[in-house]
């Protein structure tokens, strides 16, 4: 048997703006009495349970109910399959006094001539119950498979999210279960998972690329290797070249002296002095001419040519030595290894060039001292990679390309990493997906079995339906209830027609409308389509607008017809009816006090508060004063007394209903204190001997704020509720002045 245990969450359901079942509030029992004034949410609760009865989505807000230890959301109501009947205004309008359909739906009972068919129905019903259990098990397996699948997808998505999280990345920073499902399903559809798997060090490289920070571009190496073979050929020619002149033997045999003398000759020519610049003695006659013949034009030109080549060789050596090369740290990590290899190759080539050009320059330097004779220089042209600079620039170019499109490089790295992780999990993903599909098919098959059995049962029921008996019984109930036989039900092919003295009944009084609707509902609980002992019955203000005698009769019918119900909910704002039901439920608890498991009657109340421009209702335990005493007056007095001595800060929403409470209490007090005056509250207050200023203050407070629905008008300024404790203190002072003993007794009662 299914039972409603809690209303776990109600969001934007009428006045229940944001309600969650309080932790200390007991769960619903077998019998439940919910007391609440008009406007506190009774209709909202009954409409929600009516939605559950009719297997439809809630008409407003979002709701979650705890039913037989299972949380049922509003969007699951269409498949809830609950045995529940709800009496409220909607039931009356749709079933008893429907505008669209004048006939009242039939109450179905069993005809005496269809025993065999009924046996078939009972057999099929048992079979359907068994299949329903199998359906429930299949649906649970489906739910478990879906929950495990969702949990798996959530875990895998979290791994991807944690691995690829990066500042400014909106995709993987918010990667969730739905993203993982979408990507995995697309990969399955494309059937290309193997192409996404990473091999070798590729994953580590992509991880480094994903975690990389932007780096600036690097200038490429500007260096061209000279043709060393051409240098060797040119050098050989120079070394073999000789100068023809009238050589001075001393200078020819002493290169150092020759070089010193040549430089001195140049200085001597510039100064034009016939004295030796070294000893300041006259130069021997013909000495300058002899030297000039030794150092003739051919000699000078050849020396200059040698100097020029030496300078070029030194420049080449210096360029290879001082070439500015970038450090590998300036490049992205993915290029570091190749860059360092290429850099080492270039450095090796540059050292060979440097060594070769320095040796060549030294050979030419020696030739300057041996210009009158051939010289030999044996050297092997070094084998070097003249494309080393280009190869290094190729790596730098890749780095620069990545710097220019860094965001896409990082994006591509993350996509490849994500696809690799998804591809690795794809087999397990597909396996779990298949498990869900299998469980779903199984559940659908069982659901179809239940549907077919239900159809067979309905076909048999249509053959054996007889609704004359409940019509006669219901007509008898109305006669007992109303005290006359004017109203009765006549049989129609598809239901009943309500008649008055043989004619279609029109213009029913409010009391007659309530009586017919309630009696019909209670009789419908015996309908064979509803299992009373395992069902749930909800009655929302079933005695609205009834006088005291009719109220007592209605209570008697309710008590009798719901005695065997599986679970009962009664919601009311009528205190007289509340007292009858409360006493009944308390008697049930006392009768079963020896067995706590059977003490199943629970008492609740609805309370509303005002905040941020809206009212919000809650469900709480019934106030002890309402549960203990026979009059609502004690509860009202306790509310006013507690509010009057409240010295701490309080939100206006907590005081929102105090004017209504105070007005009801004052009217009840004056009714027995001044019974001779039945006029308005103002007229009765005129007879009260009390401070006039305080009386006016009390009346202004009550008339301004009680029964107010126009929030925001100047006379309804809610900030004026801040004066509530002071006004209520004046009210209690007035009661004390009129009846001190009564006031004293009530205060004592409140403090207990």
């Amino acid at each position: 048997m299914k039972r409603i245990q809690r209303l776990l969450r109600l969001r934007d359901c009428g006045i229940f703006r944001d309600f969650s079942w309080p932790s200390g509030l007991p769960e619903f029992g077998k019998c439940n009495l919910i007391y609440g004034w008009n406007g506190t949410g009774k209709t909202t609760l009954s409409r929600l349970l009516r939605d559950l009865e009719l297997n439809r989505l809630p008409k407003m807000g979002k709701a979650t109910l705890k039913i037989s230890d299972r949380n049922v959301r509003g969007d699951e109501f269409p498949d809830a399959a609950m045995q529940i009947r709800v009496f409220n205004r909607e039931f009356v309008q749709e079933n008893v006094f429907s505008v669209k359909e004048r006939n009242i739906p039939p109450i179905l009972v069993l005809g005496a001539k269809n025993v065999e068919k009924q046996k078939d129905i009972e057999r099929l019903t048992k079979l359907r119950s068994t299949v329903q259990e199998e359906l429930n098990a299949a649906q649970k397996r489906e739910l478990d498979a879906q929950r495990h699948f969702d949990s798996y997808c959530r875990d895998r998505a979290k791994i991807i999210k944690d691995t690829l999280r990066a500042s400014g990345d909106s995709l993987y920073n918010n990667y969730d279960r739905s993203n993982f499902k979408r990507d995995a399903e697309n990969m399955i559809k494309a059937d290309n998972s193997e192409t996404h798997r990473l091999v070798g060090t590729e994953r580590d490289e992509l991880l480094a690329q994903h975690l990389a920070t932007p780096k600036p571009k690097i200038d490429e190496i500007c260096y061209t290797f000279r043709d060393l073979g051409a240098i060797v050929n040119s050098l050989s020619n120079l070394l073999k070249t000789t100068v023809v002149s009238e050589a001075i033997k001393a200078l020819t045999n002493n290169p150092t002296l020759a070089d010193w003398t040549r430089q001195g000759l140049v200085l001597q020519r510039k100064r034009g002095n016939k004295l030796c610049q070294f000893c300041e003695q006259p130069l021997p006659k013909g000495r300058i001419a002899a030297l000039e013949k030794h150092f003739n034009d051919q000699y000078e030109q050849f020396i200059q040519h040698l100097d020029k080549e030496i300078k070029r060789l030194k420049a080449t050596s210096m360029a290879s030595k001082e070439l500015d090369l970038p450090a590998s740290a300036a490049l992205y990590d993915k290029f570091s290894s190749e860059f360092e290899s290429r850099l080492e190759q270039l450095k090796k080539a540059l050292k060979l060039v440097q060594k070769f050009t320095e040796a060549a320059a030294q050979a030419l330097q020696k030739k300057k001292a041996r210009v009158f004779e051939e010289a030999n220089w044996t050297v092997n042209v070094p084998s070097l990679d003249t494309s080393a600079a280009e190869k290094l620039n190729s790596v730098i170019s890749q780095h620069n390309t990545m710097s220019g499109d860094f965001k896409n490089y990082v994006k591509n790295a993350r996509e490849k990493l994500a696809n690799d992780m998804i591809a690795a999990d794809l087999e397990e993903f597909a396996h779990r997906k298949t498990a869900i599909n299998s469980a779903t098919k199984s559940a659908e098959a069982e659901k179809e079995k239940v549907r077919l059995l239900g159809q067979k049962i309905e076909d048999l029921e249509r053959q054996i339906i007889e609704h004359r008996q409940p019509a006669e019984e219901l007509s008898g109930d109305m006669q007992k209830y109303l005290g006359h036989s004017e109203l009765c039900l006549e049989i129609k092919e598809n239901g009943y027609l309500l008649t008055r003295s043989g004619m279609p009944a029109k213009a029913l009084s409010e009391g007659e409308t309530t009586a017919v609707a309630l009696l019909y509902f209670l009789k419908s609980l015996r309908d064979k389509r509803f299992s009373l002992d395992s069902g749930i019955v909800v009655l929302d203000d079933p005695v609205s607008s009834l006088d005291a005698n009719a109220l007592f009769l209605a209570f008697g019918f309710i008590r009798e017809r719901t005695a065997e119900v599986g679970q009962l909910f009664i919601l009311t704002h009528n205190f007289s009816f509340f007292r009858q039901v409360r006493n009944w439920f308390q008697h049930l608890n006392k009768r079963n006090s020896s067995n706590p498991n059977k003490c199943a009657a629970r008492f609740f109340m609805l309370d509303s508060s005002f905040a941020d421009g809206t009212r919000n209702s809650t469900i709480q335990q019934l106030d002890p004063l309402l549960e203990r005493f026979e009059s609502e007056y004690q509860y009202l007095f306790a509310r006013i007394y507690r509010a009057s001595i409240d010295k701490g800060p309080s939100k206006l929403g907590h005081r929102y209903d105090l004017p209504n409470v105070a007005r009801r209490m004052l009217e009840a007090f004056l009714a027995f204190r001044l019974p001779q005056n039945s006029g308005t509250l103002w007229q009765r207050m005129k007879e009260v001997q009390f401070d006039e200023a305080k009386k006016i203050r009390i009346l202004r407070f009550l008339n301004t704020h009680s029964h107010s629905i126009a929030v925001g008008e100047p006379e309804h300024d809610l900030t004026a509720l801040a004066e509530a404790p002071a006004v209520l203190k004046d009210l209690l002072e007035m009661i004390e002045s009129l009846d001190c003993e009564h006031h004293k007794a009530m205060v004592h009662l409140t403090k207990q």
Side-chain angles (χ1 to χ4, degrees), residues 116 154 161 197 218-219 223 284 389 457 462 605 633 645 650 690 725:
E116 292 301 321
R154 188 182 303 110
K161 177 180 178 180
R197 294 310 308 272
I218 301 172
D219 293 335
Y223 184 84
I457 293 171
R462 277 195 294 269
M605 65 185 298
Y633 179 76
I645 61 176
S650 179
F690 189 61

Side-chain angles (χ1 to χ4, degrees), residues 73-127:
R73 302 187 310 273
D75 58 9
E76 297 177 303
F77 281 11
D79 299 318
M82 294 286 291
Q83 283 282 314
I84 181 172
R85 293 291 184 269
V86 178
F87 177 85
N88 61 4
R89 280 177 288 179
E90 183 180 341
F91 167 84
V92 174
Q93 292 168 357
E94 292 181 356
N95 292 279
V96 185
F97 300 101
S98 172
V99 175
K100 296 181 180 179
E101 178 60 61
R102 299 185 63 85
N103 289 338
I104 301 173
I107 299 171
L108 307 177
V109 297
L110 182 65
K113 299 179 182 180
N114 298 287
V115 176
E116 292 301 321
K117 290 181 180 179
Q118 178 58 26
K119 289 181 179 179
D120 288 340
I121 290 176
E122 292 175 355
R123 178 182 57 80
L124 291 174
T125 300
K126 290 181 180 179
L127 178 58

Side-chain angles (χ1 to χ4, degrees), residues 391-433:
K391 292 177 179 177
L392 185 64
N393 283 337
S394 175
V395 180
I396 294 174
S397 177
Q398 294 179 58
H399 165 85
N400 290 340
T401 300
M402 182 171 174
S403 292
D405 197 18
F406 180 75
K407 288 185 177 179
N408 282 333
Y409 270 89
V410 173
K411 178 182 177 183
N412 290 337
R414 289 173 183 157
E415 287 179 354
K416 290 179 180 179
L417 288 167
N419 287 336
D420 174 62
M421 287 186 276
I422 293 169
D425 297 325
L426 207 59
E427 184 176 350
E428 180 66 17
F429 177 89
H431 173 72
R432 291 175 181 266
K433 189 84 173 179

